[in-house]
Amino acid sequence: MSQLLLVTSLLSTDMARGLGELGLSETRAHVLWELGAREPPTQKRLADVLKVTPRNVTALIDALEETGFVRRDPHPTDRRAVVVVLSDKGRQTVATLRSQMASMAEQLFGAAPEADLQAFGRTLDALAVRLAELSGQDALP
Amino acid sequence: MSQLLLVTSLLSTDMARGLGELGLSETRAHVLWELGAREPPTQKRLADVLKVTPRNVTALIDALEETGFVRRDPHPTDRRAVVVVLSDKGRQTVATLRSQMASMAEQLFGAAPEADLQAFGRTLDALAVRLAELSGQDALP
DNA sequence: TATTGTTATACTCTATAACTATA
DNA sequence: TATAGTTATAGAGTATAACAATA
């Protein structure tokens, strides 16, 4: 358990260093990553995906817009909503993030025995299930 | 890799919920955890252990002192330094954190096959080594 | 009435730089 | 001179609450 938390912390530190060179924090990189993974969403949808408040999305998109990674476009049918779209720079950055992620995964896991990797994956899957159960329980009124 | 990041995120969310009930953020819980693990350290030492700036330690200890978890005592020989000491409430809280951590570990890993757990541990150890190597490389001038 | 996004406000964590008191 | 901790200042991320425009 403590080893998992340690690796988590080291991983976060290491990823943050690479992101800094792209002009991104971990949070902003996460936003771009999610934008790259779905059709241009509304801010409301982004708030749900990122599990933060709509107010927070306003601030994050403000920052990403000022630094040229995204654009706000009017929603085609709902005049209350805006859709968040990756700029050219944003799309290139997402591509870079993906290749960096793949390269890091190769560096980290490339040398591990296949059987260990499978057991690792199984254990992570089981952890995710347990954690989802815990959240579900505690979320009850 | 993405599964690891997902589990990391779920774990952090789940732990934060428990900590909130103790009146602690993750950062402050981390400070208490480290205080529980070593002789009363100076703020300088805490800054090194937590890998944050001394200025930041001032703020964190201010907050933990105001909420009654820790106390600042004068250093016995160096009049520049202060040592940070757990209060009664702080010591009880560390004990609670430890038992919560143990209980969560049991809930998360208790049902996993022994062989998988060993492979999981091996892979985490290897990850930690790789990540340390990566940091070392990039830290060179 | 309900929803989308904003403004207003506040708290936490983080960093750099300048300063004080002491080694 | 160097070190321990502080004050000053700034920026990022988060939240709640009140509000405007629109559905």
Side-chain angles (χ1 to χ4, degrees):
Chain A
M1 180 74 155
S2 60
Q3 189 69 353
L4 176 55
L5 295 176
L6 170 64
V7 165
T8 287
S9 160
L10 291 173
L11 193 54
S12 163
T13 304
D14 195 73
M15 293 195 348
R17 201 171 38 234
L19 296 174
E21 294 167 11
L22 292 172
L24 290 171
S25 64
E26 283 187 88
T27 303
R28 293 183 192 177
H30 186 195
V31 177
L32 288 192
W33 186 268
E34 295 297 342
L35 283 171
R38 64 201 77 239
E39 287 302 299
T42 63
Q43 292 192 187
K44 166 64 173 153
R45 172 125 180 72
L46 260 186
D48 293 340
V49 168
L50 299 168
K51 294 193 174 62
V52 297
T53 60
R55 172 63 184 96
N56 211 335
V57 172
T58 298
L60 291 171
I61 299 304
D62 281 351
L64 285 170
E65 202 172 28
E66 276 167 27
T67 46
F69 291 97
V70 307
R71 206 174 58 237
R72 280 179 167 104
D73 280 356
H75 189 283
T77 62
D78 187 339
R79 285 196 299 167
R80 294 171 307 179
V82 302
V83 291
V84 182
V85 185
L86 288 168
S87 66
D88 286 349
K89 176 182 174 184
R91 260 192 320 272
Q92 286 163 15
T93 304
V94 168
T96 304
L97 289 177
R98 284 177 177 156
S99 81
Q100 282 185 355
M101 186 73 100
S103 140
M104 176 175 287
E106 171 59 26
Q107 281 192 284
L108 291 179
F109 294 100
E114 182 58 27
D116 278 9
L117 279 187
Q118 289 190 1
F120 189 74
R122 269 197 305 276
T123 308
L124 282 179
D125 288 345
L127 286 184
V129 170
R130 293 297 176 106
L131 284 165
E133 287 170 2
L134 285 179
S135 306
Q137 280 179 10
D138 293 348
L140 291 177
Chain B
M1 178 74 156
S2 59
Q3 189 69 351
L4 176 56
L5 296 176
L6 170 63
V7 165
T8 287
S9 159
L10 291 173
L11 193 54
S12 163
T13 304
D14 195 71
M15 295 196 345
R17 201 172 38 235
L19 297 175
E21 295 168 11
L22 293 172
L24 290 171
S25 64
E26 282 187 90
T27 303
R28 292 180 192 179
H30 186 195
V31 177
L32 288 192
W33 186 268
E34 295 296 343
L35 283 172
R38 65 200 75 239
E39 288 302 300
T42 63
Q43 292 192 187
K44 166 62 172 154
R45 173 123 180 74
L46 260 186
D48 293 339
V49 167
L50 299 167
K51 294 193 175 63
V52 297
T53 60
R55 173 62 184 94
N56 212 335
V57 172
T58 298
L60 291 172
I61 298 304
D62 281 352
L64 286 171
E65 203 172 27
E66 276 167 25
T67 46
F69 291 98
V70 306
R71 202 173 63 237
R72 279 178 168 104
D73 280 357
H75 189 283
T77 62
D78 187 338
R79 285 196 300 167
R80 295 171 307 179
V82 300
V83 291
V84 182
V85 184
L86 288 168
S87 67
D88 287 349
K89 176 182 174 184
R91 259 192 318 272
Q92 286 162 15
T93 304
V94 168
T96 304
L97 289 177
R98 283 178 177 154
S99 80
Q100 283 185 354
M101 186 72 101
S103 141
M104 176 175 287
E106 170 59 28
Q107 280 192 284
L108 291 179
F109 294 99
E114 181 58 27
D116 278 8
L117 278 188
Q118 290 191 0
F120 190 74
R122 269 198 304 277
T123 309
L124 282 180
D125 288 345
L127 285 184
V129 170
R130 292 297 176 107
L131 285 164
E133 285 170 3
L134 286 178
S135 306
Q137 279 178 12
D138 293 348
L140 291 177

